[in-house]
Amino acid sequence: MSQHTHRDPSRLRDRLVRVLNHYYPDCIDTRFGGYVAQLDERDGHVYDGLTKHLVATCRAIHNFSVGIKRDGPTYCRATAEHGLHFLRHVHWDETHEGYNWILAGREPRERTRYCYGHAFAVLAAATAVDVGLPSARKELERATSVLDDRFYEPAHGLYADVADPEWEELGAYRGQNANMHACEAMLAAYEATGEKQYLNRAAEIADALVCENTDNGCLWEHFDETWTPDYEYNWKDPDHQFRPWGYQPGHHVEWTKLLLHLHDHRPQDWLVETATDLFETAVETGWDDEYGGFYYTVDREDEPVSSDKYGWAVAEGIGAAARLAVHDRSYLDWYDRLWTYADRVLVNPRNGNWYESVSREGELPDQTHDVAVEPGYHPISNICTAIDVFEANPGLLE
């Protein structure tokens, strides 16, 4: 496949639609409402039609809203509206005013309040506002209010991570990941509404977390309640779903993309410089020169902790390299290299969806059929980023 295929906006749109088509129509839950996210990544069969994870719900709303924006299939609008209604009326806890983390059908299974999940509610609502879905603006205001009223800590300019279901106490843990996605959500909310408070908050998060906490191009994941790095957190649980121990190259390139996105709206030299440093750190310490792909995590001596390769990290690298190429064309080499690896190892040739993870050598793992939180969000978001870059900068197509 020609490298220019990876840069052609029309062909990129086709890739985006293939991911959406993998999930539709089986993702529509006609029994309980909302989405079925647990579709087998190899053949697409539903293996759990009951469990509803807040993050999966929000990401699917976002995905189908992106489909509307990109002139995708006609089903996108009704499907996005379907999910937004479920988020608003079922995930939402009217008594305590927050989103329940996991549902069984329509009943709460896990009510813990996570900043990470509420950040994705902001993202979902913002993308829905951007494409004019009914009630999206009210949901954006509600989700933002909870995020700011319950999690935001003005002394640090960042968000706490977790609270009990009744909002009586915040946990001591503070995390990079939730704040990164809060920054992403605030940028989306600013673009959807034009309201500067969202852009201001995105800039505040980036400044407090990335500008103040990078160490030689590295960004640690885990902190205590004073935002002091906790280098022991989860060191015995390196494969934790949301909080693995170690540096994550995938998050370094994800921040590259976000800092450059922020720079588009509020240019500052440090944003481009730091974005470049984070990307270079990711490829120097996290890229597997023998088999390709980013190691999931590396230790403080740049040695792999988990050598598995995750599809989301490569997808984020694609978005990051596309944005970097606007400032330095040489990053198109990484853009093409990442797509080559993705097509060879991560993209399901049958359906066009992306595998969640593979071994270091690129082999699919034994199927575990866990609760799904990734219904194509990372590929769709970063394909969309690449489309934006190449449409705005046609010279990069040459």
Side-chain angles (χ1 to χ4, degrees):
M1 182 178 292
S2 168
Q3 66 181 18
H4 293 290
T5 300
H6 301 138
R7 306 178 196 174
D8 182 338
S10 65
R11 290 179 178 265
L12 287 167
R13 178 192 168 279
D14 291 343
R15 286 178 170 271
L16 188 154
V17 169
R18 286 199 74 200
V19 179
L20 293 174
N21 285 342
H22 171 74
Y23 292 95
Y24 183 86
D26 290 339
C27 69
I28 301 294
D29 188 342
T30 57
R31 181 182 179 190
F32 297 108
Y35 301 116
V36 174
Q38 284 77 227
L39 273 63
D40 182 87
E41 63 181 6
R42 303 188 196 195
D43 64 20
H45 79 269
V46 173
Y47 61 84
D48 173 2
L50 184 67
T51 307
K52 318 283 184 179
H53 198 294
L54 174 60
V55 174
T57 296
C58 294
R59 286 176 167 178
I61 295 167
H62 168 78
N63 290 350
F64 289 108
S65 296
V66 169
I68 298 168
K69 187 172 183 177
R70 286 291 160 196
D71 297 321
T74 56
Y75 63 68
C76 287
R77 183 168 295 275
T79 306
E81 290 176 353
H82 176 81
L84 186 63
H85 182 273
F86 191 81
L87 176 68
R88 182 172 180 78
H89 296 287
V90 185
H91 268 292
W92 180 256
D93 181 340
E94 195 68 44
T95 301
H96 299 98
E97 299 191 337
Y99 297 100
N100 289 318
W101 185 238
I102 300 177
L103 307 176
R106 299 174 68 89
E107 298 301 319
R109 179 188 293 174
E110 170 58 78
R111 295 175 53 241
T112 304
R113 314 301 183 197
Y114 287 98
C115 175
Y116 185 83
H118 285 72
F120 273 105
V122 172
L123 177 68
T127 316
V129 168
D130 196 36
V131 294
L133 296 193
S135 303
R137 185 56 185 263
K138 290 182 179 179
E139 199 61 24
L140 175 60
E141 292 169 356
R142 181 162 74 172
T144 303
S145 293
V146 177
L147 198 63
D148 287 348
D149 294 346
R150 298 296 191 175
F151 291 106
Y152 180 64
E153 297 183 306
H156 301 288
L158 294 166
Y159 292 97
D161 203 83
V162 60
D164 65 277
E166 286 73 37
W167 300 107
E168 293 177 353
E169 185 178 7
L170 290 172
Y173 175 83
R174 300 293 183 271
Q176 179 284 132
N177 197 10
N179 281 274
M180 178 180 69
H181 285 292
C183 180
E184 173 191 31
M186 293 299 169
L187 282 168
Y190 170 67
E191 291 189 333
T193 67
E195 295 178 7
K196 284 292 181 67
Q197 73 265 24
Y198 294 113
L199 180 61
N200 292 342
R201 182 55 51 82
E204 184 179 25
I205 296 167
D207 189 65
L209 185 59
V210 183
C211 185
E212 298 298 327
N213 282 297
T214 50
D215 179 18
N216 294 322
C218 296
L219 182 62
W220 191 247
E221 296 284 324
H222 312 299
F223 302 81
D224 65 19
E225 57 193 329
T226 68
W227 280 95
T228 301
D230 183 350
Y231 292 112
E232 301 301 317
Y233 186 86
N234 268 356
W235 72 274
K236 290 185 178 180
D237 192 5
D239 296 315
H240 190 281
Q241 183 179 19
F242 294 111
R243 302 176 182 175
W245 185 87
Y247 293 102
Q248 291 194 53
H251 282 164
H252 283 65
V253 295
E254 197 162 359
W255 266 115
T256 293
K257 183 184 72 172
L258 289 174
L259 295 180
L260 295 175
H261 193 179
L262 179 59
H263 182 269
D264 289 345
H265 298 295
R266 186 170 289 178
Q268 292 179 279
D269 289 343
W270 81 266
L271 291 168
V272 178
E273 293 167 1
T274 304
T276 304
D277 289 345
L278 289 169
F279 190 93
E280 289 297 326
T281 295
V283 298
E284 287 172 10
T285 66
W287 184 259
D288 185 344
D289 289 327
E290 183 174 0
Y291 294 102
F294 291 113
Y295 298 121
Y296 184 34
T297 50
V298 297
D299 64 19
R300 300 182 70 191
E301 284 73 45
D302 302 335
E303 294 298 322
V305 177
S306 173
S307 61
D308 289 346
K309 313 296 175 54
Y310 278 76
W312 69 262
V314 173
E316 291 296 333
I318 285 169
R323 284 198 176 275
L324 275 172
V326 176
H327 302 272
D328 182 343
R329 188 184 175 89
S330 69
Y331 284 98
L332 287 174
D333 291 342
W334 269 110
Y335 177 83
D336 294 332
R337 185 187 303 186
L338 286 157
W339 264 122
T340 298
Y341 176 80
D343 281 337
R344 179 171 59 85
V345 177
L346 295 170
V347 178
N348 182 345
R350 175 178 176 178
N351 294 345
N353 61 298
W354 288 46
Y355 301 124
E356 180 180 6
S357 67
V358 295
S359 70
R360 183 191 176 199
E361 296 80 9
E363 299 297 321
L364 286 169
D366 294 335
Q367 293 175 295
T368 57
H369 286 168
D370 295 329
V371 176
V373 296
E374 169 58 293
Y377 150 78
H378 286 282
I380 285 172
S381 294
N382 287 284
I383 290 170
C384 190
T385 293
I387 292 171
D388 289 341
V389 165
F390 293 116
E391 285 185 342
N393 301 273
L396 295 177
L397 295 170
E398 300 172 359

